[in-house]
């Protein structure tokens, strides 16, 4: 299967790889997927006082499309408010990366990851 | 060094130039293009002579009589002819078949078809080393069992089954015994004169012959009967009709002849390279060889790099052609059924790569692959949340995953 140039670009030069302090109150962590299914994404967001995502980091175990989906997602959420980030749809990710049908589940996982990270952040604020 | 490096010899091999040369001499107007079945002129006689030579060469490599060789289009067709042909012919004596969960799809799907026709099939488990337990095999045989099918060498993990011992059980219990030898011919010595095997499938393209040609060994003493699956002009003693593809057959014959001459030295060389590859990887953390290491063919290394997903690793190794047991490499989302059958957890199956080395593999290639693999596994582990968790001492089995 041939990969799109954008998938290859994100795969070879992934953006925002890393870890934030999962115990910090201004950090939300979303981890979705399962090793037995062949993909696990961990997405972390750091949110400032105005509710804006000022930093995002990821680590992903999965195929090239899963890595690219999470890398792209970190680029997109930075600078967005939580409400804006929540509106990101898997289809936007799939379109941007030109994912073939068998890889669409990678973008679904990325959408699940940002929702989970936001939920984790909000539960820490007592607003979740 | 030419890139990409081909390390997928169990998928297929290039045609040996010596083989290609012989094949080309059977195609053009100045070559031996005749129909081997033409009895009335020299074109036919010449082609028939070449087909006979090829038949002798194939038979010689496997210790068979040339009359026991039936040409087919490949191991898939041979498996179909052997299993359907024997099951249909002997069905009055019983309709039960024994095979193994790690067989190639050409065997498994053929058995599934027979189930739809009313046969019963037992799919035996294998042990964690990929080999079948002889007692379990014997216990699976019933009074109405007519056929057993067990592969000689597994295409994914390269392990070698004890065909002699399995065949002895079949003889004693009067069960027709078929062996898929697609991955073993030319890699493991085979002497059908002594082996208790009734039917055995072969393919040319796994041992430097062309694609689209294979053979089925059908034992003559005692005679094994088959119902033909392809009807027509009555070629191959009525077992497989269709004009013989002289150039393909000549290619297979030459490939088998060369294998007979060179197998021993070639195996030595390939084993040394495979061991070098494994030697360069085994000190890495969390790597697991899949299948018995010692009872495997020289050219196979199937290995899992825990916490790294196989397809992403293959993408990183874009200068290396290998295959993976990861689900992501197929249209289904299931990881390799062979790795599952040897009891590998799904995450290790997703993390597996199969390296298969062959005639044209060089030491420089292995050195290059080694440095690439080590570097890319490290890079992908830095990207892997599972590696982080492992390093933090978290037991991944204790985590509640949000599966999707
Ligand atoms: C064990 C085994 N059996 C059967 C086959 C099918 O062989 P062919 O491609 O000649 O039909 C293969 C090769 O893919 C194989 O590895």
């Amino acid at each position: 299967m041939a990969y799109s140039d954008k998938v290859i670009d994100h795969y070879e030069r992934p953006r925002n790889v890393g870890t934030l302090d999962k115990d910090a109150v201004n950090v939300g962590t979303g981890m979705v997927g399962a090793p037995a299914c062949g993909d696990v994404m961990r997405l972390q967001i750091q949110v400032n006082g105005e509710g804006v995502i000022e930093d995002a980091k990821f680590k992903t175990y999965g195929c090239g499309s899963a890595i690219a989906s999470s890398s792209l997602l970190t680029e997109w959420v930075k600078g967005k408010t939580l409400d804006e980030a929540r509106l990101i749809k898997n289809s936007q990710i799939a379109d941007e990366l030109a994912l073939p049908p068998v890889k669409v589940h990678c973008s679904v996982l990325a959408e699940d990851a940002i929702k989970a990270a936001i939920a984790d952040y909000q539960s820490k604020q007592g607003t979740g | 060094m030419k890139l990409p490096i081909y390390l997928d010899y169990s998928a297929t091999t290039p045609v040996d130039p010596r083989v290609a040369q012989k094949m080309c001499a059977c195609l053009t107007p100045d070559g031996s293009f005749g129909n081997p079945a033409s009895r009335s002129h020299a074109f036919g006689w010449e082609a028939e002579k070449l087909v006979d030579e090829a038949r002798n060469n194939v038979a010689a490599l496997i210790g068979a009589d040339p009359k026991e060789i039936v040409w087919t289009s490949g191991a898939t067709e041979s498996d179909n002819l052997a299993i359907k042909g024997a099951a249909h012919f002997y069905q009055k004596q019983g309709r039960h078949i024994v095979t193994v969960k790690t067989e190639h799809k050409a065997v498994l799907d053929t058995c599934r078809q027979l189930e739809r026709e009313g046969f019963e099939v037992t799919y035996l488990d294998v042990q964690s080393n990929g080999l079948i337990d002889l007692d379990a095999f014997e216990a699976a045989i019933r009074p109405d069992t007519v056929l057993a099918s067990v592969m000689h060498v597994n295409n994914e993990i390269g392990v070698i089954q004890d065909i002699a011992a399995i065949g002895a059980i079949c003889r004693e219990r009067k069960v027709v015994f078929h062996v898929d030898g697609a991955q073993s011919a030319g890699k493991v010595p085979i002497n059908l004169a002594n082996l208790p095997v009734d039917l055995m499938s072969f393919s040319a393209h796994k041992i430097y012959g062309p694609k689209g040609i294979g053979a089925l060994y059908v034992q003559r003493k005692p005679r094994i009967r088959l119902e033909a699956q392809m009807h027509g002009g009555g070629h191959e003693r009525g077992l497989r009709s269709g004009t013989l593809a002289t150039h393909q057959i000549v290619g297979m014959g030459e490939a088998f002849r060369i294998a007979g001459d060179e197998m021993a030295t070639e195996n030595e060389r390939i084993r040394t390279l495979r061991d070098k590859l494994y030697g360069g990887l085994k000190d890495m953390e969390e790597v697991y060889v899949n299948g018995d290491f010692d009872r495997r063919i020289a050219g196979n290394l199937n290995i899992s790099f825990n916490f790294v997903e196989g397809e992403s690793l293959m993408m990183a190794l874009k200068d290396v052609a290998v295959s993976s047991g990861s689900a992501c490499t197929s249209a289904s989302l299931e990881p390799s059924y062979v790795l599952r059958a040897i009891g590998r957890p799904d995450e290790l199956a997703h993390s597996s790569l199969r390296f298969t080395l062959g005639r044209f593999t060089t030491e420089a290639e292995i050195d290059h692959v080694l440095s690439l693999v080590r570097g890319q596994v490290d890079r992908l582990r830095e990207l892997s949340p599972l590696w982080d968790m492992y390093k933090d001492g978290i037991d991944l089995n204790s985590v509640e995953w949000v599966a999707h």
Side-chain angles (χ1 to χ4, degrees):
Chain A
M1 185 185 344
Y3 298 96
S4 70
D5 291 344
K6 281 182 180 155
V7 168
I8 292 172
D9 182 46
H10 277 279
Y11 172 76
E12 287 183 346
R13 297 183 302 113
R15 333 287 199 255
N16 305 308
V17 175
T19 310
L20 300 171
D21 177 9
K22 69 175 180 349
D23 297 322
V25 287
N26 62 341
V27 170
T29 300
M31 189 155 74
V32 294
C37 303
D39 34 35
V40 176
M41 267 179 207
R42 187 183 67 199
L43 177 72
Q44 296 186 298
I45 52 173
Q46 183 176 308
V47 184
N48 69 15
E50 281 79 59
V52 172
I53 298 172
E54 54 182 22
D55 200 5
K57 296 277 185 211
F58 85 96
K59 286 203 177 188
T60 290
Y61 162 85
C63 64
S65 304
I67 290 171
S69 296
S70 35
S71 169
L72 175 68
L73 184 68
T74 58
E75 278 193 325
W76 277 2
V77 299
K78 273 210 238 181
K80 283 201 165 62
T81 65
L82 293 179
D83 285 339
E84 289 166 345
R86 217 192 314 265
L87 293 176
I88 294 173
K89 287 276 161 293
N90 82 285
S91 54
Q92 295 169 293
I93 297 170
D95 287 349
E96 173 71 15
L97 294 174
L99 297 182
V102 292
K103 295 296 181 184
V104 166
H105 74 278
C106 298
S107 65
V108 173
L109 206 60
E111 182 185 323
D112 291 351
I114 181 63
K115 295 219 160 93
I118 293 172
D120 180 58
Y121 170 78
Q122 290 186 328
S123 74
K124 283 181 177 173
Q125 312 306 308
T127 59
Chain B
M1 189 176 5
K2 207 174 110 218
L3 296 177
I5 295 167
Y6 189 74
L7 289 181
D8 205 9
Y9 280 84
S10 284
T12 193
T13 59
V15 172
D16 188 299
R18 292 169 286 183
V19 171
Q21 205 178 6
K22 291 234 159 177
M23 291 176 68
C24 290
C26 302
L27 292 166
T28 45
D30 54 347
S32 311
F33 68 88
N35 185 333
S38 296
R39 289 285 142 86
S40 51
H41 50 67
F43 296 89
W45 304 331
E46 171 68 17
E48 188 188 25
K49 190 176 119 249
L50 292 175
V51 167
D52 285 346
E53 272 172 34
R55 206 185 291 277
N56 291 342
N57 285 332
V58 169
L61 181 69
I62 59 177
D65 185 295
K67 295 195 192 71
E68 295 174 313
I69 303 298
V70 175
W71 300 114
T72 66
S73 64
T76 300
E77 187 189 332
S78 298
D79 288 343
N80 273 266
L81 175 56
I83 295 170
K84 290 177 186 162
H88 288 155
F89 191 90
Y90 293 103
Q91 60 183 323
K92 286 201 188 68
Q93 291 162 37
R95 306 192 93 201
H96 178 242
I97 297 165
V98 177
T99 187
V100 186
K101 287 187 176 157
T102 51
E103 292 295 309
H104 191 270
K105 290 282 184 192
V107 167
L108 293 177
D109 266 27
T110 300
C111 288
R112 289 266 180 250
Q113 173 58 25
L114 288 171
E115 282 184 284
R116 284 189 284 273
E117 294 172 18
F119 287 84
E120 272 185 76
V121 181
T122 299
Y123 299 91
L124 271 182
D125 284 311
V126 291
Q127 306 170 95
S128 60
N129 60 4
L131 300 172
I132 64 176
D133 173 22
L134 294 177
D135 293 333
F137 178 77
E138 182 149 27
I141 295 178
R142 316 191 310 209
D144 61 340
T145 307
V146 285
L147 173 69
S149 181
V150 177
M151 71 202 316
H152 195 186
V153 167
N154 182 272
N155 45 305
E156 286 192 34
I157 55 180
V159 299
I160 307 165
Q161 300 287 357
D162 188 349
I163 291 307
I166 298 164
I169 296 169
C170 290
R171 283 281 147 92
E172 197 188 307
R173 304 289 295 270
K174 300 202 166 29
V175 170
V176 174
F177 185 36
H178 167 250
V179 174
D180 181 340
Q183 295 286 351
S184 66
K187 294 165 195 154
V188 181
I190 297 168
N191 184 2
L192 287 164
N194 295 331
L195 278 173
V197 169
D198 302 311
L199 298 161
M200 192 157 177
S201 302
F202 299 98
S203 184
H205 74 97
K206 309 290 186 185
I207 58 166
Y208 314 98
K211 295 163 191 56
I213 182 77
L216 180 66
Y217 160 85
V218 183
Q219 182 182 259
R220 276 166 52 95
K221 287 185 191 137
R223 181 157 173 230
I224 296 298
R225 307 289 300 272
L226 298 176
E227 212 167 76
Q229 305 295 308
M230 189 71 76
H231 301 94
H235 306 77
E236 301 297 276
R237 283 166 283 114
L239 282 177
R240 204 280 195 175
S241 288
T243 298
L244 295 179
T246 313
H247 62 301
Q248 300 286 84
I249 290 168
V250 163
M252 180 160 177
E254 182 64 2
F256 273 55
R257 187 193 66 74
I258 293 171
D261 282 356
E262 301 181 356
M263 177 162 68
T265 44
E266 180 160 80
N267 268 344
E268 277 302 304
R269 194 185 74 82
I270 291 174
R271 187 184 307 281
T272 305
L273 293 178
R274 192 273 315 272
D275 288 349
K276 177 166 195 183
L277 180 63
Y278 178 53
L281 298 173
K282 70 176 177 203
D283 65 309
M284 296 177 78
E285 272 182 272
E286 289 290 308
V287 295
Y288 299 89
V289 173
N290 298 308
D292 195 283
F293 188 76
D294 298 317
R295 294 207 46 190
R296 84 168 58 211
I297 53 165
N300 175 293
L301 181 65
N302 189 312
I303 188 165
S304 290
F305 301 90
N306 208 0
F307 316 122
V308 174
E309 196 275 330
E311 186 188 330
S312 66
L313 185 51
M314 287 200 299
M315 193 172 164
L317 302 175
K318 58 175 186 292
D319 287 340
V320 188
V322 293
S323 66
S324 168
S326 158
C328 284
T329 60
S330 61
S332 82
L333 290 179
E334 299 283 301
S336 150
Y337 65 89
V338 172
L339 297 182
R340 200 170 255 184
I342 64 170
R344 281 296 190 219
D346 284 356
E347 54 267 35
L348 278 181
H350 284 296
S351 301
S352 71
L353 287 190
R354 178 186 75 176
F355 299 91
T356 44
L357 289 61
R359 184 168 291 166
F360 306 103
T361 307
T362 65
E363 184 163 13
E365 288 178 335
I366 295 300
D367 288 334
H368 186 63
V369 167
L370 261 177
S371 79
L372 277 177
V373 172
R374 291 190 69 108
Q376 291 298 335
V377 168
D378 286 348
R379 177 178 99 87
L380 289 168
R381 281 181 170 169
E382 285 309 313
L383 269 178
S384 167
L386 305 180
W387 178 249
D388 265 7
M389 294 165 81
Y390 164 73
K391 283 284 157 182
D392 288 343
I394 297 169
D395 174 10
L396 295 181
N397 293 318
S398 70
V399 176
E400 270 192 49
W401 300 100
V402 190
H404 59 112

